[in-house]
Amino acid sequence: MFEHKKIRSVFIDEAMERILEIEKGLLQLEQYPDDEELINTIFRAAHTIKGSSASIGLNELSGFTHGIEEILDLVRLRKLIPGKELISQLLESSDLLKEMVTSLASDMPFDFTKCENSIIRMGDLKNKILLKQFKIIFIPDHHLFRKGLDPADIIAGLRDIGEVTNIKAFTDEVPALSEISPDELYLRWDISIRTDRDLTDIRKVFEFVEEGSDIKIFPVIAPDQGMPLLGQMLVEEGTVKAEDIAEALKVQKRLGEILVEHDKVAETDIKRMVDKQSLKKIELFKNSVSSTIRVDLKKLDHLINIVGEMVIIHSMFQQIIHGNGNLKETPENLDALFSQLQRIGKDIQESAMSLRMLPVGEVFQRFSRLVRELSGNKDKRVELVMAGEETELDKGVLEKITDPLVHLIRNAIDHGMETSGERTAIGKPPYGKIHLIAYQMGDSVYIEIEDDGKGLDREKIIEKAIAKGVIKDSSGLSDDQIYNLIFLPGFSTADEVSDVSGRGVGMDVVRKNIESLNGKVNMHTKPGIGTTISIKLPLTLAIIDGLTVLLGNDAFVIPITSVIESLRPRREDVKTLNEKCEVINVRGEFIPLIRLYEQLDITPLKKDPSEAIVVLVSHENKKRCLLVDDLVGQQQVVIKKLGTAMPKVFDVAGGTILGNGRIALVLDVPGIIENVTLSV
Amino acid sequence: MADATATVVPGQSLEKQQYITFYLNNEEYAVDALNVQGIIELSNITKVPHLPEFIKGVINLRGTIIPVIDLKLKFGMGCEEYKKHTCIIITDFSGGVMGIIADTVSDVLHMPDESVASTPSLGTKIRTDFIKGMGQVDNRLVIILDIEKILTQDETSLVSDITGGESAGN
């Protein structure tokens, strides 16, 4: 049973990866329909899923994948053209596949009847589009009968290689009855045939009659694949022109609109359902982050190499201690060994951390799908341009950044981007562009989302901020400060509030999520030109640089990212306001003092700031001085949770184990600053 | 375990559970042995601010940080200095791992379910929701605790807060 589960979880991981591969491939295929390598990659991915699902007894899943694979095979053989309809259908199928695998992962039964529609449509695709249309104009030799040949045989021959959809005999050359010669052929035919064979195969049918006959065979370009069957048939029959069908289709409305017009359902209901549809897609998208990690073999090899080195050092130590080798217990030898050990320890730490690093491309590639879905819904044409997909981020950070990024991209499309009509009207290209860029600088990773939409409306933000009581008036605020107001709680400038976007909880949640990762988010916008949101993230969550300080009998760690400087103020620099709030004059700037021992309920060794040390910290341009007894120094610490059974404390971000085995609490500077701001 | 099942007296229930018993002052308490990971010496406890008094702080258990609680403070019992025999019982429950401070660990008890009486109603003075039952063994009264309910509803809801919002430690 356990084995079985294990195999299954391996399958789930693999399948998820393959599905993403298929999805990514399909999206690219839409742009480069002729890329053979691409088609092969997608085909192989589907083929792998089919094979491995069958091998662990998931027959329905395997069967369904087989359907997908068949279509891909036809695309590969160039019998199907990967048009929009086909890609959409395959994407839908891969969604279903994803649902199947997710429900497998959560041990939920999957309702396979859901796939029926999809299977039928895939079948349609296979049957209809793969068959090429040929039109044959067959003007046979008048003396055909004399050669012992019969045109009926030809037509029978055509029926053997495909479906003869239309046959029309022209009788205009048939003479009056009295003049008919029984061994002459007066007829000619127009034949339409639908077949999977090539032109040469058709020509072969006419091989014997070719001489003296006039045979024209030309492929009929498949009409627009978006055209419904009826229209296609009418065009084939020659009754209606393709342009007329296209025109008629424009008039045709979506099911939802028709229902509304006939008062069958309220418009809001439809809207809700449509929103629900897109929400579902987003949900599905979120669920697909797995809990396992795929590691580059090189990284593992490197780690194993260093561990090997450590084993050698270990045996050298043994030699020294037991005195049974060439190594003598001299201070020089010990010192050399120790410094080697130190270097190896650092190497191991670094390469162990690098195992947790994943390229951001893993998350990015899913966004192209999201953009496609969202822009399709909104009558906006948006192209996603990605760069720096190879930038690596800690897996933990990467998982938590996905939601905020989804939200930001959704916002950019929903609120930032104009419809293509609006864009053309103001002289912008009809296609909007969203750039998603990642790069590393120092020990931070930056992710930027840049759109060329309409930008933020400065006046609207001010108006709203005043209405919501966020600010009193806009004087003294720089443009950037005003734009960044949208990150404050309860702020949403969207006029129209729907389920998908703009629930008014958007941007502040984004900011909170990013800050919980010790990251920062910033926004620049130019009206009419576009908006750039840049997110700064630490490389990793688990190890931080910290400033260790002493307070009472305990050590505390302050993350170095929030520390500006530490100093011992002169007595005359400590002032009080209203006898309540203390401030410290730091080179002319008055900064509020927080007596950490009061905050943390500790008996301190020193209460006088001019004898103790103050650490100047900042969070979102708010500066505070933290009063501590003494400084120990700066070091890298591994942040750990205080046990899952432990209640959360707002001013503690976690704990770390010091060299002496004791625990030091890591302070949560934003928590402390915000808490004190509230209580003052 | 093998011993326990081999010496079943006929007529006695096969449903026998093992308990670890420990003393808080003069009272004997018990927790299900399946919830106990180990027993360690009392080590340095690092206090965490703003928490109820009975949550003494956190300790370093072989590289992981776990919270430690003092049941005497939780139950409002008289509390003296920690002594030589004071130890920490490491328990494992659905909310995570937690240490419980005990004066001494006394015994491993096999108790058939029949000899465990349900908690009598003791009036409003004493909270009984974290007491699973009372066991009687050779005239000893053992109070069996329900590990899952020692942290009250409010406290466990706080617990789920941190599991959601914390950094990726460990």
Side-chain angles (χ1 to χ4, degrees), chain A residues 140-361:
Chain A
D141 183 4
H142 277 273
H143 309 296
L144 200 67
F145 292 134
R146 287 187 203 162
K147 295 177 187 162
L149 295 165
D150 187 349
D153 287 343
I154 304 290
I155 291 163
L158 285 176
R159 289 214 157 98
D160 282 345
I161 61 165
E163 185 193 350
V164 176
T165 50
N166 191 24
I167 229 180
K168 203 167 178 183
F170 290 87
T171 51
D172 44 344
E173 281 181 38
V174 181
L177 191 61
S178 53
E179 287 167 35
I180 285 183
S181 156
D183 55 359
E184 292 243 343
L185 182 57
Y186 302 104
L187 297 173
R188 59 187 172 88
W189 288 270
D190 268 9
I191 306 163
S192 294
I193 179 170
R194 187 145 50 195
T195 174
D196 58 347
R197 308 289 183 90
D198 286 337
L199 197 123
T200 43
D201 287 331
I202 298 174
R203 200 159 276 282
K204 252 182 208 159
V205 177
F206 292 93
E207 212 168 11
F208 296 107
V209 295
E210 228 163 349
E211 209 188 299
S213 303
D214 185 6
I215 301 156
K216 285 198 187 100
I217 306 172
F218 39 89
V220 179
I221 307 302
D224 183 1
Q225 290 172 11
M227 195 179 287
L229 288 174
L230 173 69
Q232 201 172 334
M233 278 152 57
L234 287 172
V235 174
E236 269 166 42
E237 292 277 330
T239 326
V240 184
K241 273 191 249 160
E243 301 88 72
D244 294 340
I245 297 279
E247 194 120 313
L249 278 176
K250 270 189 205 152
V251 183
Q252 188 179 336
K253 291 179 178 164
R254 292 187 184 185
L255 177 64
E257 287 169 29
I258 298 171
L259 287 173
V260 172
E261 252 167 45
H262 289 81
D263 276 341
K264 299 285 186 230
V265 274
E267 195 170 345
T268 45
D269 285 340
I270 295 279
K271 198 160 179 324
R272 214 188 54 232
M273 291 310 288
V274 171
D275 282 352
K276 218 171 167 182
Q277 261 183 358
S278 13
L279 264 189
K280 208 178 129 204
K281 278 169 191 157
I282 289 160
E283 281 308 313
L284 194 68
F285 170 85
K286 279 183 192 164
N287 290 338
S288 50
V289 180
S290 76
S291 59
T292 54
I293 191 166
R294 201 163 261 247
V295 176
D296 188 351
L297 199 60
K298 271 187 224 142
K299 287 183 178 175
L300 270 187
D301 284 344
H302 180 63
L303 184 62
I304 287 168
N305 272 340
I306 314 171
V307 171
E309 262 185 80
M310 196 186 63
V311 172
I312 295 167
I313 303 258
H314 181 254
S315 69
M316 285 163 87
F317 264 117
Q318 219 162 18
Q319 274 187 34
I320 288 188
I321 289 163
H322 298 299
N324 53 3
N326 305 329
L327 280 171
K328 294 281 168 293
E329 192 181 337
T330 59
E332 296 81 54
N333 275 345
L334 279 178
D335 199 44
L337 270 185
F338 182 68
S339 62
Q340 273 191 55
L341 194 62
Q342 225 174 3
R343 179 183 58 81
I344 289 170
K346 201 164 167 266
D347 274 1
I348 291 184
Q349 183 199 325
E350 268 168 20
S351 43
M353 289 314 297
S354 80
L355 296 184
R356 286 185 61 91
M357 304 298 267
L358 284 178
V360 288

Side-chain angles (χ1 to χ4, degrees), chain A residues 356 400 541-542 599-601 639-651 653 655-657 661-663 665, chain B residues 44 46-51 55 58-60 63 65 67 93 95-97 151 158-159 162-163 166-170:
Chain A
R356 286 185 61 91
K400 287 188 180 148
L541 282 181
Q599 181 84 13
L600 303 174
D601 196 17
I639 295 198
K640 300 195 172 203
K641 287 185 205 174
L642 297 183
T644 48
M646 191 71 172
K648 166 78 176 158
V649 180
F650 64 88
D651 45 18
T656 186
I657 295 167
R662 291 195 58 163
I663 295 169
L665 298 181
Chain B
N44 275 316
T46 303
K47 191 177 170 293
V48 178
H50 313 297
L51 290 179
I55 301 183
V58 287
I59 57 163
N60 167 14
I65 299 177
F93 70 112
V97 180
L151 291 179
L158 283 168
V159 168
I162 46 164
T163 45
E166 257 308 319
S167 58
N170 298 328

Side-chain angles (χ1 to χ4, degrees), chain A residues 324-516:
Chain A
N324 53 3
N326 305 329
L327 280 171
K328 294 281 168 293
E329 192 181 337
T330 59
E332 296 81 54
N333 275 345
L334 279 178
D335 199 44
L337 270 185
F338 182 68
S339 62
Q340 273 191 55
L341 194 62
Q342 225 174 3
R343 179 183 58 81
I344 289 170
K346 201 164 167 266
D347 274 1
I348 291 184
Q349 183 199 325
E350 268 168 20
S351 43
M353 289 314 297
S354 80
L355 296 184
R356 286 185 61 91
M357 304 298 267
L358 284 178
V360 288
E362 296 224 342
V363 167
F364 276 17
Q365 59 171 279
R366 303 176 203 162
F367 290 132
S368 41
R369 177 72 192 279
L370 188 78
V371 169
R372 183 184 192 269
E373 300 285 347
L374 288 176
S375 54
N377 284 349
K378 305 271 173 190
D379 180 38
K380 291 175 182 180
R381 285 192 282 176
V382 182
E383 194 186 333
L384 185 71
V385 184
M386 295 184 280
E389 293 106 312
E390 69 288 339
T391 314
E392 286 191 328
L393 256 182
D394 185 273
K395 184 172 164 67
V397 180
L398 201 59
E399 273 170 14
K400 287 188 180 148
I401 198 68
T402 312
D403 275 8
L405 284 181
V406 169
H407 200 99
L408 289 174
I409 291 178
R410 217 164 56 189
N411 267 354
I413 297 173
D414 269 9
H415 308 317
M417 227 25 114
E418 310 94 333
T419 61
S420 33
E422 284 168 358
R423 288 183 70 91
T424 333
I426 52 172
K428 283 185 180 180
Y431 271 94
K433 267 190 186 170
I434 294 182
H435 288 265
L436 189 59
I437 305 158
Y439 57 93
Q440 184 182 343
M441 210 162 75
D443 58 354
S444 299
V445 168
Y446 293 80
I447 298 178
E448 287 179 2
I449 300 157
E450 190 184 325
D451 69 56
D452 62 350
K454 55 182 171 241
L456 288 174
D457 188 336
R458 186 174 181 273
E459 299 310 316
K460 215 161 157 186
I461 293 173
I462 295 173
E463 193 182 302
K464 202 111 181 186
I466 293 173
K468 300 248 173 189
V470 182
I471 52 168
K472 288 204 177 68
D473 65 301
S474 61
S475 58
L477 288 176
S478 73
D479 280 2
D480 265 358
Q481 275 172 325
I482 287 168
Y483 293 131
N484 282 296
L485 285 175
I486 63 158
F487 288 110
L488 294 172
F491 204 97
S492 171
T493 51
D495 292 328
E496 202 179 322
V497 172
S498 71
D499 262 1
V500 183
S501 62
R503 271 154 297 171
V505 290
M507 294 306 258
D508 64 308
V509 173
V510 168
R511 190 183 68 166
K512 232 184 207 157
N513 281 349
I514 292 169
E515 275 170 6
S516 78

Side-chain angles (χ1 to χ4, degrees), chain B residues 114-128:
Chain B
E114 299 95 81
S115 56
V116 178
S118 60
T119 324
S121 161
L122 300 169
T124 47
K125 264 190 180 171
I126 304 169
R127 288 183 56 189
T128 56

